[in-house]
Amino acid sequence: MLLPQGISRPLPLPLMPKFFPPLSLHHITPAFNSLIRTHTHNHQPHKAILTYTQMLKTNTPPNHFTFPSLLSSCAQTFSLYIGQSIHTHIIHLGFNSNVYTDTALLHMYSSCKSMASACKIFDEMTQKNSVSYNAMITGYTHNREFSNALKLFSEMQISGFKPTETTVTSVLSACAHLGALNQGKWVHEYIKTRNLTVNVFVGTSLIDMYAKCGSIDEAMVMFDGTRHRNVYTWNAIISGMAMNGYGEKALKLFREMVGDGHVRPDGVTFLGVLCACSHEGLVYQGYQYLAMMRDEFSVTPCIQHYGCMVDLLGRAGLLEETMSLIESMPIEPDAIVWRSLLGACRIHGRTDLSELAVQNLLRLEPGNGGNYVLLSNLYARAHRWNDVALVRETMKLRGIRKEPGCSSIEIQNVVYEFIVGKAVSKEICRMLSDVERELRLAGYVVDTEMVSYDVEEEEKETSLMYHSEKLALAFGLLKIQEGEVIRIVKNLRVCKDCHTYFKLVSKVYRRDITVRDRNRFHHFRGGDCSCGDYW
Ligand code: ZN
Ligand code: ZN
């Protein structure tokens, strides 16, 4: 008998016989089915699964209608093991190769983060419909396989299946994560021409996509045009404004939201608000909003909110206040909090606190190679060369690797990825040396001191000239015509040298460049950056 991929353990459910004597029991099946369906709809997945075991115990034969709701219960509870057992039953009883059952199976697998099994089922489906395409595209987006979501979306159209509002919501979310503005715009056009309903979910996804692709004006136009706004709609625009560096506008929108009174702000809203305060350096207001969230809206601050506060205080140079906040927090500080503190120490030159932050980072994330580089750089600054060597040695011994720097750029609807250390075309190499020559004339000096001393996430052995965002920028300068914004998305924090380099390119080449790094947006124009050199 065929077993679903990955099954090796004995089944938790009894394997049933192929024939069910006595046949008179067949009429009970619909009653069980409806019970399973009701439990699933009422978000009581455990009861649904229990009902199925009762069905097996009473020798009641399941039919085609039994499995979709049952699998949906497994998806709700992320019960991969039970889902796999049910899959075995389906194969055993010959109920596979049915579009509804197969779609329910692939939805179950993708919800349980087993994308390989979901793909296998989808590929082997003889019959597909828009629902199965939807399930697969949503599965890709939920599992952060955004490029695959976009690929399948184009395949869906070639196959002639009509995308629904659910499809475009997932696709827009994929575009937002990839920073694929052109594809996002294309989806927007598609929604308009195909007369898809712009419901509150689609509207919010459009706002979010434009904001996360750095196109904040378009996000605002979409927001103004959205009549039905829920908390997600407000959150998308408020955090979008804050992330793009428009703190004042984000706070204005928040006041509007509260004044409007229809929608209550939640924890995510306040994250946007605190992030806005941080960008504007509004320390006093930050404390006020933190109190407001607790007292007026009964939202308990979580670690992310404290992370924002640490960022806010650190940015303002109030290192003592930052430390007392960290010490008085009711929750144990996480890596994000320590990393924010480290960022502040880097700007304000506090090596004593830097060491404390890095030690805590190493304790919380012993497998993250970036932290070892931070520690090594810290020792290098203090000329503790033996310690530097020791850290590098530990990394080698433990086999710890760093996440490589990776930048992506979208050109004519294709997303190109550049990974540090990978070979690039001659054309790009030539462009890089041209740019370097031009920038040197404008006074750019590669800060070699920084290569070994500064606390950065990127590997220092690699020449600064080949950091992934520089490769993407060179490619953008070659391929994107003048007057158009060059948009780059980077997986790590932008280093100091790249930041200076990008500012100068924006001035010398008169190009507007937008970089979304791990934390925020940098809009480079005329030699300046929207982040005000604090990031
Ligand atoms: Zn760099
Ligand atoms: Zn910047």
Side-chain angles (χ1 to χ4, degrees), residues 494 499 503 515 517 520-524 528-535:
V494 174
H499 199 264
K503 284 204 292 190
V515 178
D517 75 0
R520 68 188 78 235
F521 273 98
H522 301 269
H523 295 284
F524 297 96
D528 286 315
C529 180
S530 64
C531 76
D533 294 340
Y534 188 106
W535 72 101

Side-chain angles (χ1 to χ4, degrees), residues 226-239:
T226 309
R227 259 188 300 153
H228 300 288
R229 297 166 180 170
N230 63 16
V231 68
Y232 303 110
T233 322
W234 283 100
N235 288 353
I237 194 71
I238 291 173
S239 55

